[in-house]
Amino acid sequence: MTQERLWQVLDPSWADPRTLSALLCSSAAAVVLVKWLGRRQIQQKMEEARRTRDLALERMEKAAHRFKQENPGTQTAHILSLTMVELAEKLKEGSLSPESVLYSYMGKALEVTWEVNCVVDFIHGCEDQLQKPKKQKEKGLLYGIPVSIKDHVNCKGHVSSGGMVKFLGQVMEEDSVIVQVLKSQGAIPFVKTNIPQTMINYDCSNLIFGQTLNPLDHRKSPGGSSGGEGALIAGGGSILGIGSDVAGSIRLPSSFCGLCGLKPTGNRISKLGVVSSITGMKSVTGTLGPMARDVDSLALCMKALLCQEMFRLDPTVPPIPFDEEVYTSSKPLRIGYYEGDGYFQPSPSMKRAVQQTRKLLQDAGHTLVPFAPPKIDYAVDELFTRGIFSDGAAHLVDCFKGDIVDPNLKSQFNTYRLPALVKRILAVVLKPIYPRIARDLSALCGVGSAKNLWDQHEAVAAYCAEFIAKWRKLRLDVILCPALGPAFNHGYAGKLFAATSYTNLYNVLNFPAGVVPVSTVTRADEEELEHYRGHYRDPWDKRLKEAVEGAVGLPVAVQCVALPWQEELCLRFMKEVETLARGTKRNL
């Protein structure tokens, strides 16, 4: 009866199979059309962003060319050869003008970005900014120093894209606190640099601005997510850059590009005015920090940033000025060290870098003590992965609504968007065969409830206390450990996010950590890599081997770590490592 009444209400012609087929086909066509129109709209926004970038670079090129024509005697090569400390001194004494320095770096930055695609915007206000430091009664510590800024750090009048369509068109009304402080110290922010889509990746590619290459080897990634900074500085187009780090995003590009980079304690530098794809995540600590060619540049930057202006603009930042006495101390250090973290077997060059640095430090009179991070599997899987994705990656997946996934991120994204039940089932199935991958899948389910989130925060605090207790028991000042490297071949970072274990540990702990290049990959390293099997002999181990192949001559770094709020000690240790490593290279 119900069916008969239904057919009485409905048009009888609907029962015709041909009519139904037509309706279904037209509905399917409508769905396809809507999707096509949505995708086209996204592509148009991307094309508009690229046009804006191209116009900005054209404006930058004209400005640099004009200055060169008007000032033919500018010693560009000499300016670009100076260290940041030397450059700051010459600017302060007046033997170099801020104009000659800025336009020299603008010209070089253009050369580098044409080669490796690392600059996404020209901060056109930099030309007006040139005049402001001259009017100040006292010249700031960074007077006349050009600074490059990572894409997602807000600059007034510019977009912070985060590599995502959702942020395009949102022009920032004011500078982030860190940019304001840099300007107050006389620095000249002049370009913004490329990042991977969402920044939860350590390659450097997005569908808006494309792939950034490593200037040392175009077959290699510059690292990420501060990869544009790494590429620009390594190529000589910037002398100081501001990056950010929530799993290694300052330290990994520094390692891949042969630079020095510092991840400070979480709130040592203000993070106000920064775009993020995981806003609200508190389980793992992100931070802003400097990247440069040498440790003294990092120290000068930190000294400039840790000033009354920052403490005034962001009262949540502890008012702790830079302690020059600690940085310049020559007191012998008691140094803990480890050659592998137990989660990922280090590549041969990573291990050798720590071994050689340990010997150099011992020969220089420091005390080296073996150290092993406690419960590393638990720290990486339960504290880092389950922490950063405590919402089951829901916020991150939401970022892709109205966007297209970059191919370099598809492996990660496809895993993140799986329903929690599917992740759990896969974890159970894979546990006997690939236990590490199974644990990762389980952790990607997140915490599940507010109560569990509180428990997770408590677990992080307990682990931190355990780590510090072990540190104190051995009476350590600092720790020496590997930095992931050498630079990966393109396309591997998105398939090996867990390989950030060497760096993400110190985001969980919220310890300051820096990276210093100490060597280069040798043919012996490459030959030894052929026998690399990894701790688990699973697909991740196989991928890591493939990722670092073909890197002879590329830089290898080590990581230097101190306790929270001891950035000066961390930098002092980094400086010691840098001095000893450079001495070895000169002797060779």
Side-chain angles (χ1 to χ4, degrees), residues 93-147:
E93 69 188 20
S95 60
L96 282 177
S97 70
E99 287 86 354
S100 64
V101 173
L102 174 63
Y103 290 106
S104 292
Y105 269 100
M106 278 168 57
K108 185 63 179 178
L110 284 164
E111 285 179 30
V112 177
T113 199
W114 288 331
E115 180 190 344
V116 299
N117 186 39
C118 54
V119 175
V120 298
D121 201 0
F122 169 49
I123 303 173
H124 46 78
C126 66
E127 295 183 271
D128 298 329
Q129 180 66 22
L130 275 171
Q131 306 308 317
K132 291 181 181 177
K134 294 177 182 177
K135 297 173 184 175
Q136 293 173 345
K137 291 180 181 178
E138 289 186 25
K139 292 177 180 176
L141 290 174
L142 299 177
Y143 172 72
I145 298 291
V147 183

Side-chain angles (χ1 to χ4, degrees), residues 563-583:
L563 289 173
W565 310 108
Q566 294 187 8
E567 281 71 19
E568 297 87 346
L569 179 58
C570 184
L571 286 164
R572 183 255 148 130
F573 179 34
M574 291 169 68
K575 177 68 177 175
E576 184 79 4
V577 168
E578 178 186 62
T579 302
L580 294 171
R582 288 184 175 181

Side-chain angles (χ1 to χ4, degrees), residues 384-428:
F384 174 75
T385 304
R386 198 179 293 278
I388 198 169
F389 300 119
S390 51
D391 64 345
H395 273 80
L396 196 61
V397 170
D398 279 350
C399 286
F400 290 97
K401 289 177 180 176
D403 211 330
I404 303 169
V405 181
D406 185 276
N408 288 299
L409 201 65
K410 272 190 175 173
S411 178
Q412 280 177 261
F413 176 72
N414 288 338
T415 306
Y416 296 156
R417 69 175 180 174
L418 289 173
L421 180 61
V422 175
K423 290 175 190 170
R424 289 192 182 96
I425 291 169
L426 285 172
V428 171

Side-chain angles (χ1 to χ4, degrees), residues 217-457:
D217 185 339
H218 293 181
R219 300 169 303 158
K220 300 285 184 174
S221 167
S225 60
S226 310
E229 285 300 320
L232 184 62
I233 299 167
S238 177
I239 200 164
L240 175 67
I242 299 299
S244 62
D245 192 311
V246 76
S249 292
I250 286 171
R251 290 161 290 162
L252 293 169
S254 295
S255 170
F256 286 15
C257 294
L259 304 173
C260 298
L262 176 70
K263 177 204 83 71
T265 309
N267 211 35
R268 189 85 197 260
I269 292 175
S270 174
K271 293 173 279 190
L272 290 180
V274 175
V275 162
S276 172
S277 61
I278 50 172
T279 303
M281 190 278 301
K282 300 292 183 185
S283 297
V284 180
T285 307
T287 182
L288 300 180
M291 298 167 66
R293 295 175 213 158
D294 56 60
V295 178
D296 278 339
S297 300
L298 303 180
L300 179 58
C301 180
M302 289 297 291
K303 187 177 179 181
L305 290 173
L306 299 175
C307 64
Q308 288 305 315
E309 182 69 357
M310 177 166 285
F311 309 146
R312 182 186 71 79
L313 289 168
D314 187 353
T316 68
V317 173
I320 310 170
F322 190 83
D323 193 331
E324 188 74 27
E325 188 178 338
V326 172
Y327 179 60
T328 55
S329 170
S330 57
K331 187 185 94 172
L333 297 169
R334 189 171 171 86
I335 304 163
Y337 73 91
Y338 56 93
E339 297 170 2
D341 66 1
Y343 195 83
F344 263 95
Q345 181 184 336
S347 67
S349 58
M350 286 169 66
K351 186 175 180 181
R352 178 179 56 80
V354 173
Q355 290 171 338
Q356 289 183 353
T357 305
R358 182 195 72 194
K359 188 176 186 310
L360 288 171
L361 289 163
Q362 280 178 327
D363 293 346
H366 301 285
T367 303
L368 277 292
V369 182
F371 181 88
K375 301 187 298 194
I376 189 67
D377 292 353
Y378 169 75
V380 174
D381 299 325
E382 292 302 316
L383 303 185
F384 174 75
T385 304
R386 198 179 293 278
I388 198 169
F389 300 119
S390 51
D391 64 345
H395 273 80
L396 196 61
V397 170
D398 279 350
C399 286
F400 290 97
K401 289 177 180 176
D403 211 330
I404 303 169
V405 181
D406 185 276
N408 288 299
L409 201 65
K410 272 190 175 173
S411 178
Q412 280 177 261
F413 176 72
N414 288 338
T415 306
Y416 296 156
R417 69 175 180 174
L418 289 173
L421 180 61
V422 175
K423 290 175 190 170
R424 289 192 182 96
I425 291 169
L426 285 172
V428 171
V429 171
L430 291 174
K431 188 174 181 179
I433 323 163
Y434 301 131
R436 179 172 55 176
I437 296 173
R439 295 197 309 266
D440 183 72
L441 280 165
S442 174
L444 286 172
C445 294
V447 296
S449 70
K451 176 188 179 298
N452 292 344
L453 183 62
W454 285 25
D455 290 342
Q456 208 270 343
H457 290 168

Side-chain angles (χ1 to χ4, degrees), residues 339-351 436 484-486 488 496 499 501-502 524-549:
E339 297 170 2
D341 66 1
Y343 195 83
F344 263 95
Q345 181 184 336
S347 67
S349 58
M350 286 169 66
K351 186 175 180 181
R436 179 172 55 176
L484 183 64
F488 278 20
L496 280 168
S501 60
Y502 284 96
D525 292 329
E526 198 76 11
E527 288 167 11
E528 191 179 337
L529 183 64
E530 292 177 17
H531 306 290
Y532 181 94
R533 294 293 178 270
H535 292 313
Y536 289 84
R537 304 195 176 197
D538 59 13
W540 285 357
D541 284 330
K542 185 183 176 186
R543 282 179 197 160
L544 186 68
K545 179 184 176 181
E546 294 169 353
V548 299
E549 284 175 340

Side-chain angles (χ1 to χ4, degrees), residues 25-279:
C25 289
S26 59
S27 298
V31 169
V32 170
L33 179 63
V34 168
K35 284 188 176 181
W36 182 86
L37 289 171
R39 193 176 181 87
R40 182 67 193 131
Q41 192 175 30
I42 293 166
Q43 289 169 338
Q44 286 173 341
K45 287 180 181 179
M46 291 179 177
E47 287 164 8
E48 179 61 31
R50 285 192 287 273
R51 280 195 294 271
T52 303
R53 185 265 318 267
D54 293 344
L55 287 170
L57 293 182
E58 189 179 313
R59 181 175 178 177
M60 182 176 166
E61 185 180 14
K62 285 178 180 176
H65 181 69
R66 184 178 65 247
F67 181 83
K68 191 176 181 180
Q69 282 190 318
E70 294 171 357
N71 301 271
T74 303
Q75 297 176 303
T76 300
H78 172 64
I79 289 169
L80 296 175
S81 71
L82 296 171
T83 67
M84 191 170 116
V85 172
E86 292 168 341
L87 188 61
E89 190 58 40
K90 289 186 179 294
L91 283 162
K92 192 174 182 181
E93 69 188 20
S95 60
L96 282 177
S97 70
E99 287 86 354
S100 64
V101 173
L102 174 63
Y103 290 106
S104 292
Y105 269 100
M106 278 168 57
K108 185 63 179 178
L110 284 164
E111 285 179 30
V112 177
T113 199
W114 288 331
E115 180 190 344
V116 299
N117 186 39
C118 54
V119 175
V120 298
D121 201 0
F122 169 49
I123 303 173
H124 46 78
C126 66
E127 295 183 271
D128 298 329
Q129 180 66 22
L130 275 171
Q131 306 308 317
K132 291 181 181 177
K134 294 177 182 177
K135 297 173 184 175
Q136 293 173 345
K137 291 180 181 178
E138 289 186 25
K139 292 177 180 176
L141 290 174
L142 299 177
Y143 172 72
I145 298 291
V147 183
S148 48
I149 307 291
K150 187 174 179 178
D151 167 283
H152 75 127
V153 179
N154 294 350
C155 294
K156 184 178 180 180
H158 296 267
V159 171
S160 299
S161 78
M164 295 175 281
V165 168
K166 67 181 283 187
F167 292 121
L168 293 179
Q170 297 181 25
V171 178
M172 296 302 155
E173 295 182 1
E174 63 178 5
D175 289 326
S176 56
V177 166
I178 194 168
V179 169
Q180 291 181 60
V181 176
L182 285 167
K183 288 180 176 179
S184 76
Q185 287 285 15
I188 316 289
F190 75 116
V191 290
K192 298 192 82 177
T193 56
N194 205 23
I195 53 173
Q197 187 178 29
T198 74
M199 296 169 288
I200 306 299
N201 184 286
Y202 58 102
D203 200 339
C204 191
S205 171
N206 62 75
L207 291 174
I208 304 167
F209 301 116
Q211 173 78 55
T212 299
L213 309 176
N214 189 318
L216 308 179
D217 185 339
H218 293 181
R219 300 169 303 158
K220 300 285 184 174
S221 167
S225 60
S226 310
E229 285 300 320
L232 184 62
I233 299 167
S238 177
I239 200 164
L240 175 67
I242 299 299
S244 62
D245 192 311
V246 76
S249 292
I250 286 171
R251 290 161 290 162
L252 293 169
S254 295
S255 170
F256 286 15
C257 294
L259 304 173
C260 298
L262 176 70
K263 177 204 83 71
T265 309
N267 211 35
R268 189 85 197 260
I269 292 175
S270 174
K271 293 173 279 190
L272 290 180
V274 175
V275 162
S276 172
S277 61
I278 50 172
T279 303

